[in-house]
Amino acid sequence: MLSSLETHVKRLPDDFLFGVATSSYQIEGSNFGGCGLSHWHEFAKKSGRVFNQDDGTIACNHYHLWETDLNLVRDAGFKSYRFSFSWPRLLPENSKKINPEGISFYDKLIDGMLDRGIKPFATLYHWDLPVRHAKKGGWQMRDTANYFADYTDLIMRSFGDRLFSVAPINEPWCVAWLSHYWGHHAPGVESLSSAAKAMHFVQLAHGLSIQVMRSYGHRYLGCVLNKEYAVPFDDTDETVRLTDLFDAIYNKWFDQSIFAGSYPREALALFEEHMPNNYIDDLSIISQPLDWVGTNYYTRSIIKPDKLETGIGFRCIRGDLPKTDMGWEIAPEGLAHFIKRTAENYAPQLPHYITENGMASTDIIQQGKINDIDRVDYFDRHLQIITDLKLQGVNLAGYFAWSLLDNYEWAYGYAKRFGIVHVDYKTQKRMPKLSYRAWQKALTR
Ligand code: IFM
């Protein structure tokens, strides 16, 4: 009998791309190979907001174990690997002095993928901003967007022709709002004014980077936007208005600026006085044509009015649905909502990838095994949505499970496990979980 994942895979066309994702700071180990400091290192050590003050200095030691890890990707039957470049690894000291060990590491990693028949699905920035840029204001500054364009140039020169696809920035909402308004991620700023600037400059960085990559003739460029499904706490006009505001800040800000060259008016009304001068002139850069669109999807948020939240007037709460170990509700219907909305409103013709989807769970090792059946079920329920929509004719092109390995889960340190492969952080031993075996069975059948 076919398992649920096998059934979905069988219903999808052969060219539907299945992959698995990770990111540099979360797995590589920033102590190795001449990597420079990122603002995450400082945040982990100094902010008091990171569990156990855990940092990414060793992480999964992927810097040394990359061959083992690529073998795991290949042996599961994944045909693509979504990874990120580390900016401080390639340019540890300044924007001119290239770290040869960094170049050599990514050379080997990319060639290692190609040798194994795995398509390199690259992200240029997954949150490890060099500390030198953070000290000068980081994403609140236009300069950072310009430096990001230079860094893009280095990557294109060195690796561009070997990359199947590239997205400049992973989850710009996290880079901007989560890190500058909520302060939950590095640099831990809590200011509407800072957040508004970061919301704009991270988008500008995206657009400038796309321009650079086009100048090299790259033809498969996209964006990776995280989406959270907004549900009003009640049906009063005020709650509905606030839910629209949440949706504008979290979701539409990014789609609309990239695909329609404007910012949503609900969010702009809140940010306008803090926006950088002449920001409107940048929208034509931000809205460069793309070749594909990527969505990272995990959960929903219930929006509840709260007068104590002086800037925005709401807070996000969780409801009664079953939850992952992050406390995130499992709500696959939100994924359907975003896939349809993106196709209808913004990018009907573009191939759509689910670039991250997965769950943290409290995996228990029993008799040398992890039977993470809840994670298999999570993948199953989200793939059901994808298969149904694909069969209805939506242009869905691929799906990436988050994550290959248990890894550094940012402010949660190593306390949360998202991997389909368990990592023992003391020995660095990898142990495939039941979910890995389920993917393997579905993809290699
Ligand atoms: O681990 C993160 C990843 O870095 C970005 N997307 C969400 C994941 C789970 O929180």
Side-chain angles (χ1 to χ4, degrees), residues 373-427:
I373 192 92
D374 46 353
R375 184 173 284 112
V376 177
D377 186 57
Y378 184 99
F379 288 135
D380 172 36
R381 292 183 60 196
H382 289 81
L383 271 182
Q384 177 76 52
I385 303 276
I386 288 162
T387 326
D388 290 348
L389 289 172
K390 178 77 182 167
L391 294 178
Q392 287 164 32
V394 179
N395 192 2
L396 280 160
Y399 175 94
F400 289 78
W402 182 271
S403 177
L404 174 66
L405 303 171
D406 290 337
N407 58 48
Y408 181 69
E409 180 50 29
W410 308 111
Y412 295 88
Y414 294 96
K416 303 290 175 194
R417 291 178 177 270
F418 274 89
I420 57 173
V421 173
H422 177 269
V423 176
D424 178 329
Y425 294 112
K426 287 207 184 81
T427 62

Short mmCIF file of all heavy atoms in Angstrom, two decimals, residues 373-427:
data_model
loop_
_atom_site.label_atom_id
_atom_site.label_comp_id
_atom_site.label_asym_id
_atom_site.label_seq_id
_atom_site.Cartn_x
_atom_site.Cartn_y
_atom_site.Cartn_z
N ILE A 373 6.06 10.72 13.50
CA ILE A 373 4.84 10.52 12.71
C ILE A 373 4.06 11.82 12.53
O ILE A 373 3.46 12.08 11.50
CB ILE A 373 3.98 9.41 13.38
CG1 ILE A 373 2.87 8.93 12.49
CG2 ILE A 373 3.46 9.78 14.74
CD1 ILE A 373 3.29 7.77 11.67
N ASP A 374 4.13 12.69 13.58
CA ASP A 374 3.44 13.98 13.49
C ASP A 374 4.02 14.84 12.36
O ASP A 374 3.31 15.57 11.68
CB ASP A 374 3.50 14.73 14.84
CG ASP A 374 4.89 14.72 15.46
OD1 ASP A 374 5.79 14.03 14.92
OD2 ASP A 374 5.10 15.42 16.48
N ARG A 375 5.33 14.72 12.17
CA ARG A 375 5.97 15.51 11.09
C ARG A 375 5.55 14.95 9.71
O ARG A 375 5.30 15.71 8.79
CB ARG A 375 7.49 15.49 11.27
CG ARG A 375 8.23 16.36 10.28
CD ARG A 375 9.72 16.46 10.57
NE ARG A 375 10.03 17.35 11.67
CZ ARG A 375 10.51 16.99 12.84
NH1 ARG A 375 10.76 15.72 13.10
NH2 ARG A 375 10.75 17.88 13.78
N VAL A 376 5.47 13.65 9.61
CA VAL A 376 5.03 13.04 8.33
C VAL A 376 3.61 13.53 8.04
O VAL A 376 3.28 13.91 6.91
CB VAL A 376 5.07 11.49 8.41
CG1 VAL A 376 4.54 10.88 7.11
CG2 VAL A 376 6.49 11.01 8.70
N ASP A 377 2.80 13.57 9.08
CA ASP A 377 1.42 14.00 8.91
C ASP A 377 1.36 15.49 8.47
O ASP A 377 0.55 15.87 7.63
CB ASP A 377 0.67 13.78 10.24
CG ASP A 377 -0.79 14.07 10.09
OD1 ASP A 377 -1.40 13.43 9.22
OD2 ASP A 377 -1.32 14.95 10.82
N TYR A 378 2.23 16.30 9.06
CA TYR A 378 2.30 17.73 8.69
C TYR A 378 2.63 17.86 7.19
O TYR A 378 1.95 18.57 6.44
CB TYR A 378 3.36 18.42 9.55
CG TYR A 378 3.48 19.91 9.34
CD1 TYR A 378 2.87 20.81 10.21
CD2 TYR A 378 4.21 20.44 8.27
CE1 TYR A 378 2.98 22.18 10.02
CE2 TYR A 378 4.33 21.80 8.07
CZ TYR A 378 3.71 22.67 8.95
OH TYR A 378 3.82 24.03 8.75
N PHE A 379 3.66 17.16 6.76
CA PHE A 379 4.02 17.22 5.33
C PHE A 379 2.84 16.74 4.47
O PHE A 379 2.51 17.34 3.45
CB PHE A 379 5.25 16.35 5.04
CG PHE A 379 6.55 16.89 5.58
CD1 PHE A 379 7.45 16.06 6.25
CD2 PHE A 379 6.90 18.22 5.42
CE1 PHE A 379 8.66 16.55 6.74
CE2 PHE A 379 8.11 18.73 5.91
CZ PHE A 379 8.99 17.88 6.58
N ASP A 380 2.24 15.65 4.93
CA ASP A 380 1.12 15.07 4.17
C ASP A 380 -0.01 16.08 3.98
O ASP A 380 -0.51 16.28 2.87
CB ASP A 380 0.64 13.84 4.96
CG ASP A 380 -0.64 13.27 4.37
OD1 ASP A 380 -0.77 13.30 3.14
OD2 ASP A 380 -1.49 12.80 5.14
N ARG A 381 -0.37 16.76 5.06
CA ARG A 381 -1.52 17.68 4.97
C ARG A 381 -1.21 18.88 4.07
O ARG A 381 -2.10 19.40 3.39
CB ARG A 381 -1.92 18.12 6.37
CG ARG A 381 -2.52 16.95 7.17
CD ARG A 381 -2.98 17.38 8.53
NE ARG A 381 -4.00 18.39 8.45
CZ ARG A 381 -4.36 19.16 9.49
NH1 ARG A 381 -3.77 19.01 10.66
NH2 ARG A 381 -5.30 20.07 9.35
N HIS A 382 0.02 19.33 4.09
CA HIS A 382 0.37 20.47 3.22
C HIS A 382 0.53 20.03 1.77
O HIS A 382 0.15 20.75 0.85
CB HIS A 382 1.62 21.19 3.75
CG HIS A 382 1.33 21.95 5.02
ND1 HIS A 382 1.28 21.34 6.26
CD2 HIS A 382 1.01 23.24 5.24
CE1 HIS A 382 0.97 22.23 7.19
NE2 HIS A 382 0.80 23.41 6.59
N LEU A 383 1.07 18.84 1.57
CA LEU A 383 1.20 18.34 0.19
C LEU A 383 -0.16 18.07 -0.44
O LEU A 383 -0.32 18.20 -1.66
CB LEU A 383 2.02 17.05 0.18
CG LEU A 383 3.52 17.24 0.03
CD1 LEU A 383 4.19 15.89 -0.03
CD2 LEU A 383 3.86 18.04 -1.23
N GLN A 384 -1.12 17.71 0.40
CA GLN A 384 -2.48 17.50 -0.12
C GLN A 384 -2.99 18.77 -0.80
O GLN A 384 -3.55 18.76 -1.89
CB GLN A 384 -3.40 17.13 1.06
CG GLN A 384 -4.87 16.96 0.69
CD GLN A 384 -5.10 15.63 -0.01
OE1 GLN A 384 -4.70 14.59 0.52
NE2 GLN A 384 -5.73 15.68 -1.18
N ILE A 385 -2.73 19.91 -0.14
CA ILE A 385 -3.14 21.22 -0.69
C ILE A 385 -2.46 21.45 -2.04
O ILE A 385 -3.08 21.86 -3.02
CB ILE A 385 -2.72 22.36 0.28
CG1 ILE A 385 -3.31 22.16 1.68
CG2 ILE A 385 -2.93 23.74 -0.31
CD1 ILE A 385 -4.69 22.66 1.86
N ILE A 386 -1.17 21.17 -2.04
CA ILE A 386 -0.39 21.44 -3.25
C ILE A 386 -0.84 20.55 -4.40
O ILE A 386 -1.03 21.01 -5.54
CB ILE A 386 1.11 21.21 -2.94
CG1 ILE A 386 1.57 22.37 -2.05
CG2 ILE A 386 1.97 21.12 -4.18
CD1 ILE A 386 2.81 22.12 -1.32
N THR A 387 -1.04 19.27 -4.08
CA THR A 387 -1.45 18.35 -5.15
C THR A 387 -2.81 18.77 -5.71
O THR A 387 -3.00 18.80 -6.93
CB THR A 387 -1.55 16.91 -4.60
OG1 THR A 387 -0.56 16.73 -3.62
CG2 THR A 387 -1.39 15.88 -5.66
N ASP A 388 -3.74 19.10 -4.82
CA ASP A 388 -5.08 19.50 -5.29
C ASP A 388 -4.98 20.72 -6.20
O ASP A 388 -5.57 20.76 -7.28
CB ASP A 388 -6.00 19.81 -4.11
CG ASP A 388 -6.38 18.55 -3.33
OD1 ASP A 388 -6.12 17.44 -3.84
OD2 ASP A 388 -6.90 18.68 -2.21
N LEU A 389 -4.22 21.72 -5.76
CA LEU A 389 -4.14 22.95 -6.56
C LEU A 389 -3.43 22.70 -7.88
O LEU A 389 -3.80 23.25 -8.92
CB LEU A 389 -3.44 24.05 -5.77
CG LEU A 389 -4.28 24.63 -4.61
CD1 LEU A 389 -3.44 25.58 -3.76
CD2 LEU A 389 -5.51 25.35 -5.14
N LYS A 390 -2.41 21.89 -7.83
CA LYS A 390 -1.68 21.58 -9.07
C LYS A 390 -2.63 20.91 -10.07
O LYS A 390 -2.65 21.25 -11.25
CB LYS A 390 -0.50 20.66 -8.73
CG LYS A 390 0.31 20.22 -9.92
CD LYS A 390 1.24 21.31 -10.41
CE LYS A 390 2.02 20.87 -11.63
NZ LYS A 390 2.67 21.99 -12.30
N LEU A 391 -3.42 19.99 -9.55
CA LEU A 391 -4.34 19.28 -10.47
C LEU A 391 -5.44 20.21 -10.98
O LEU A 391 -6.05 19.97 -12.02
CB LEU A 391 -4.93 18.04 -9.78
CG LEU A 391 -3.88 16.96 -9.46
CD1 LEU A 391 -4.51 15.78 -8.74
CD2 LEU A 391 -3.16 16.48 -10.72
N GLN A 392 -5.67 21.31 -10.24
CA GLN A 392 -6.64 22.30 -10.73
C GLN A 392 -6.01 23.27 -11.74
O GLN A 392 -6.64 24.21 -12.19
CB GLN A 392 -7.20 23.12 -9.56
CG GLN A 392 -8.19 22.36 -8.67
CD GLN A 392 -8.40 23.07 -7.35
OE1 GLN A 392 -8.35 24.30 -7.27
NE2 GLN A 392 -8.63 22.31 -6.30
N GLY A 393 -4.70 23.10 -11.98
CA GLY A 393 -4.06 23.92 -13.01
C GLY A 393 -3.21 25.06 -12.49
O GLY A 393 -2.69 25.85 -13.29
N VAL A 394 -3.05 25.17 -11.16
CA VAL A 394 -2.18 26.24 -10.64
C VAL A 394 -0.73 25.89 -10.98
O VAL A 394 -0.33 24.72 -10.93
CB VAL A 394 -2.36 26.39 -9.11
CG1 VAL A 394 -1.45 27.48 -8.56
CG2 VAL A 394 -3.82 26.70 -8.77
N ASN A 395 0.04 26.92 -11.32
CA ASN A 395 1.41 26.70 -11.79
C ASN A 395 2.38 26.45 -10.63
O ASN A 395 3.26 27.26 -10.35
CB ASN A 395 1.85 27.90 -12.64
CG ASN A 395 3.13 27.62 -13.40
OD1 ASN A 395 3.68 26.52 -13.33
ND2 ASN A 395 3.61 28.62 -14.13
N LEU A 396 2.19 25.34 -9.93
CA LEU A 396 3.10 24.98 -8.83
C LEU A 396 4.24 24.14 -9.39
O LEU A 396 3.99 23.18 -10.13
CB LEU A 396 2.32 24.19 -7.77
CG LEU A 396 1.50 25.09 -6.85
CD1 LEU A 396 0.40 24.31 -6.15
CD2 LEU A 396 2.40 25.75 -5.81
N ALA A 397 5.47 24.52 -9.01
CA ALA A 397 6.61 23.87 -9.67
C ALA A 397 7.47 23.05 -8.71
O ALA A 397 8.27 22.22 -9.17
CB ALA A 397 7.48 24.94 -10.33
N GLY A 398 7.35 23.27 -7.40
CA GLY A 398 8.21 22.51 -6.50
C GLY A 398 7.90 22.75 -5.05
O GLY A 398 7.13 23.67 -4.69
N TYR A 399 8.50 21.92 -4.21
CA TYR A 399 8.24 21.95 -2.76
C TYR A 399 9.54 21.60 -2.04
O TYR A 399 10.20 20.60 -2.38
CB TYR A 399 7.17 20.91 -2.43
CG TYR A 399 6.90 20.75 -0.95
CD1 TYR A 399 5.87 21.45 -0.33
CD2 TYR A 399 7.66 19.87 -0.17
CE1 TYR A 399 5.62 21.29 1.04
CE2 TYR A 399 7.40 19.71 1.20
CZ TYR A 399 6.38 20.43 1.78
OH TYR A 399 6.14 20.27 3.12
N PHE A 400 9.90 22.42 -1.05
CA PHE A 400 11.11 22.18 -0.26
C PHE A 400 10.73 21.96 1.20
O PHE A 400 10.07 22.82 1.81
CB PHE A 400 12.06 23.38 -0.33
CG PHE A 400 12.72 23.52 -1.67
CD1 PHE A 400 12.02 24.07 -2.74
CD2 PHE A 400 14.01 23.09 -1.88
CE1 PHE A 400 12.60 24.19 -3.98
CE2 PHE A 400 14.61 23.20 -3.13
CZ PHE A 400 13.91 23.75 -4.18
N ALA A 401 11.12 20.83 1.73
CA ALA A 401 10.88 20.57 3.16
C ALA A 401 11.90 21.34 3.98
O ALA A 401 13.08 21.39 3.65
CB ALA A 401 11.03 19.07 3.42
N TRP A 402 11.41 21.95 5.06
CA TRP A 402 12.31 22.55 6.06
C TRP A 402 12.30 21.64 7.25
O TRP A 402 11.26 21.47 7.85
CB TRP A 402 11.86 23.96 6.45
CG TRP A 402 12.84 24.55 7.43
CD1 TRP A 402 12.82 24.45 8.80
CD2 TRP A 402 14.03 25.29 7.11
NE1 TRP A 402 13.91 25.06 9.35
CE2 TRP A 402 14.68 25.58 8.33
CE3 TRP A 402 14.63 25.71 5.92
CZ2 TRP A 402 15.88 26.29 8.40
CZ3 TRP A 402 15.82 26.41 5.99
CH2 TRP A 402 16.43 26.70 7.22
N SER A 403 13.38 21.01 7.59
CA SER A 403 14.73 21.23 7.11
C SER A 403 15.43 19.88 6.97
O SER A 403 14.98 18.89 7.55
CB SER A 403 15.45 22.12 8.13
OG SER A 403 16.79 22.34 7.77
N LEU A 404 16.54 19.88 6.24
CA LEU A 404 17.29 18.62 6.15
C LEU A 404 17.71 18.16 7.55
O LEU A 404 17.52 17.01 7.92
CB LEU A 404 18.53 18.83 5.27
CG LEU A 404 19.48 17.62 5.21
CD1 LEU A 404 18.81 16.44 4.50
CD2 LEU A 404 20.79 17.97 4.54
N LEU A 405 18.29 19.10 8.30
CA LEU A 405 18.90 18.74 9.60
C LEU A 405 18.22 19.49 10.74
O LEU A 405 17.78 20.64 10.55
CB LEU A 405 20.37 19.17 9.61
CG LEU A 405 21.27 18.62 8.51
CD1 LEU A 405 22.63 19.33 8.56
CD2 LEU A 405 21.47 17.12 8.66
N ASP A 406 18.20 18.92 11.93
CA ASP A 406 17.96 19.75 13.11
C ASP A 406 19.04 20.81 13.10
O ASP A 406 20.21 20.51 12.75
CB ASP A 406 18.13 18.91 14.38
CG ASP A 406 17.02 17.88 14.57
OD1 ASP A 406 15.93 18.08 14.01
OD2 ASP A 406 17.27 16.89 15.29
N ASN A 407 18.73 22.02 13.49
CA ASN A 407 19.75 23.06 13.39
C ASN A 407 19.47 24.21 14.35
O ASN A 407 18.58 24.11 15.20
CB ASN A 407 19.87 23.55 11.94
CG ASN A 407 18.55 24.09 11.40
OD1 ASN A 407 17.89 24.89 12.07
ND2 ASN A 407 18.16 23.66 10.21
N TYR A 408 20.24 25.28 14.19
CA TYR A 408 20.14 26.44 15.08
C TYR A 408 18.85 27.20 14.76
O TYR A 408 18.74 27.80 13.69
CB TYR A 408 21.36 27.33 14.84
CG TYR A 408 21.41 28.58 15.70
CD1 TYR A 408 21.61 28.49 17.07
CD2 TYR A 408 21.28 29.85 15.13
CE1 TYR A 408 21.68 29.63 17.86
CE2 TYR A 408 21.34 30.99 15.90
CZ TYR A 408 21.54 30.87 17.27
OH TYR A 408 21.59 32.00 18.05
N GLU A 409 17.89 27.14 15.69
CA GLU A 409 16.60 27.77 15.41
C GLU A 409 16.57 29.17 16.04
O GLU A 409 15.78 29.47 16.93
CB GLU A 409 15.46 26.86 15.90
CG GLU A 409 14.04 27.37 15.68
CD GLU A 409 13.71 27.86 14.26
OE1 GLU A 409 14.30 27.37 13.29
OE2 GLU A 409 12.87 28.77 14.15
N TRP A 410 17.53 29.99 15.65
CA TRP A 410 17.57 31.41 15.97
C TRP A 410 17.37 31.68 17.46
O TRP A 410 18.10 31.13 18.28
CB TRP A 410 16.58 32.16 15.06
CG TRP A 410 16.82 31.83 13.60
CD1 TRP A 410 16.01 31.09 12.78
CD2 TRP A 410 17.99 32.14 12.81
NE1 TRP A 410 16.59 30.96 11.54
CE2 TRP A 410 17.79 31.58 11.52
CE3 TRP A 410 19.18 32.84 13.05
CZ2 TRP A 410 18.74 31.71 10.50
CZ3 TRP A 410 20.11 32.97 12.04
CH2 TRP A 410 19.88 32.42 10.79
N ALA A 411 16.36 32.44 17.84
CA ALA A 411 16.21 32.81 19.26
C ALA A 411 15.92 31.60 20.15
O ALA A 411 16.03 31.69 21.37
CB ALA A 411 15.11 33.84 19.39
N TYR A 412 15.55 30.49 19.54
CA TYR A 412 15.30 29.26 20.32
C TYR A 412 16.55 28.40 20.44
O TYR A 412 16.49 27.29 20.97
CB TYR A 412 14.17 28.45 19.67
CG TYR A 412 12.84 29.15 19.70
CD1 TYR A 412 12.47 30.03 18.69
CD2 TYR A 412 11.95 28.97 20.76
CE1 TYR A 412 11.27 30.70 18.71
CE2 TYR A 412 10.73 29.64 20.79
CZ TYR A 412 10.40 30.50 19.77
OH TYR A 412 9.20 31.17 19.80
N GLY A 413 17.68 28.90 19.92
CA GLY A 413 18.92 28.13 19.99
C GLY A 413 18.74 26.74 19.40
O GLY A 413 18.13 26.56 18.35
N TYR A 414 19.26 25.75 20.15
CA TYR A 414 19.16 24.37 19.65
C TYR A 414 17.99 23.62 20.29
O TYR A 414 17.92 22.40 20.22
CB TYR A 414 20.49 23.64 19.89
CG TYR A 414 21.59 24.26 19.05
CD1 TYR A 414 22.44 25.23 19.59
CD2 TYR A 414 21.71 23.95 17.70
CE1 TYR A 414 23.40 25.85 18.81
CE2 TYR A 414 22.66 24.56 16.91
CZ TYR A 414 23.51 25.52 17.46
OH TYR A 414 24.44 26.14 16.68
N ALA A 415 17.08 24.39 20.91
CA ALA A 415 15.99 23.74 21.66
C ALA A 415 14.87 23.22 20.78
O ALA A 415 14.05 22.42 21.23
CB ALA A 415 15.43 24.73 22.69
N LYS A 416 14.79 23.70 19.54
CA LYS A 416 13.70 23.27 18.66
C LYS A 416 14.27 22.50 17.48
O LYS A 416 15.26 22.93 16.89
CB LYS A 416 12.92 24.49 18.14
CG LYS A 416 12.36 25.37 19.24
CD LYS A 416 11.24 24.70 19.98
CE LYS A 416 10.79 25.55 21.16
NZ LYS A 416 9.92 24.81 22.09
N ARG A 417 13.61 21.41 17.14
CA ARG A 417 14.14 20.53 16.10
C ARG A 417 13.18 20.44 14.92
O ARG A 417 12.06 19.97 15.07
CB ARG A 417 14.41 19.14 16.68
CG ARG A 417 15.57 19.14 17.68
CD ARG A 417 15.80 17.77 18.29
NE ARG A 417 16.96 17.78 19.19
CZ ARG A 417 18.21 17.54 18.81
NH1 ARG A 417 18.48 17.24 17.55
NH2 ARG A 417 19.20 17.58 19.68
N PHE A 418 13.65 20.92 13.77
CA PHE A 418 12.85 20.92 12.53
C PHE A 418 13.32 19.86 11.53
O PHE A 418 12.74 19.73 10.46
CB PHE A 418 12.96 22.27 11.82
CG PHE A 418 12.00 23.35 12.28
CD1 PHE A 418 12.32 24.20 13.32
CD2 PHE A 418 10.78 23.52 11.64
CE1 PHE A 418 11.43 25.21 13.73
CE2 PHE A 418 9.90 24.52 12.03
CZ PHE A 418 10.23 25.36 13.08
N GLY A 419 14.41 19.15 11.83
CA GLY A 419 15.03 18.31 10.81
C GLY A 419 14.25 17.04 10.48
O GLY A 419 13.51 16.52 11.31
N ILE A 420 14.49 16.54 9.26
CA ILE A 420 14.04 15.18 8.95
C ILE A 420 15.20 14.23 9.27
O ILE A 420 15.03 13.02 9.24
CB ILE A 420 13.55 15.02 7.49
CG1 ILE A 420 14.63 15.42 6.48
CG2 ILE A 420 12.29 15.84 7.26
CD1 ILE A 420 14.25 15.13 5.03
N VAL A 421 16.35 14.84 9.60
CA VAL A 421 17.50 14.08 10.10
C VAL A 421 17.86 14.65 11.47
O VAL A 421 18.03 15.86 11.61
CB VAL A 421 18.70 14.21 9.12
CG1 VAL A 421 19.94 13.56 9.70
CG2 VAL A 421 18.35 13.60 7.76
N HIS A 422 17.96 13.77 12.44
CA HIS A 422 18.32 14.20 13.80
C HIS A 422 19.82 14.46 13.86
O HIS A 422 20.62 13.75 13.26
CB HIS A 422 17.94 13.06 14.77
CG HIS A 422 18.31 13.33 16.20
ND1 HIS A 422 19.52 12.96 16.75
CD2 HIS A 422 17.62 13.94 17.19
CE1 HIS A 422 19.55 13.31 18.02
NE2 HIS A 422 18.41 13.92 18.32
N VAL A 423 20.20 15.51 14.61
CA VAL A 423 21.62 15.80 14.82
C VAL A 423 21.90 15.71 16.31
O VAL A 423 21.23 16.37 17.12
CB VAL A 423 21.99 17.20 14.29
CG1 VAL A 423 23.45 17.53 14.60
CG2 VAL A 423 21.75 17.28 12.78
N ASP A 424 22.88 14.90 16.65
CA ASP A 424 23.37 14.86 18.03
C ASP A 424 24.48 15.93 18.08
O ASP A 424 25.54 15.75 17.49
CB ASP A 424 23.92 13.46 18.32
CG ASP A 424 24.51 13.36 19.73
OD1 ASP A 424 25.03 14.39 20.23
OD2 ASP A 424 24.45 12.27 20.30
N TYR A 425 24.21 17.03 18.77
CA TYR A 425 25.14 18.16 18.69
C TYR A 425 26.49 17.87 19.38
O TYR A 425 27.46 18.54 19.11
CB TYR A 425 24.49 19.43 19.25
CG TYR A 425 23.32 19.89 18.39
CD1 TYR A 425 22.02 19.84 18.88
CD2 TYR A 425 23.52 20.34 17.09
CE1 TYR A 425 20.94 20.23 18.09
CE2 TYR A 425 22.45 20.74 16.29
CZ TYR A 425 21.17 20.69 16.80
OH TYR A 425 20.11 21.06 16.02
N LYS A 426 26.51 16.85 20.25
CA LYS A 426 27.80 16.53 20.91
C LYS A 426 28.70 15.74 19.97
O LYS A 426 29.90 16.00 19.86
CB LYS A 426 27.54 15.68 22.15
CG LYS A 426 26.94 16.48 23.29
CD LYS A 426 27.31 15.83 24.64
CE LYS A 426 26.63 16.58 25.76
NZ LYS A 426 25.22 16.16 25.93
N THR A 427 28.11 14.78 19.27
CA THR A 427 28.94 13.92 18.40
C THR A 427 28.85 14.32 16.94
O THR A 427 29.61 13.84 16.11
CB THR A 427 28.46 12.46 18.51
OG1 THR A 427 27.09 12.42 18.03
CG2 THR A 427 28.51 11.95 19.93
#
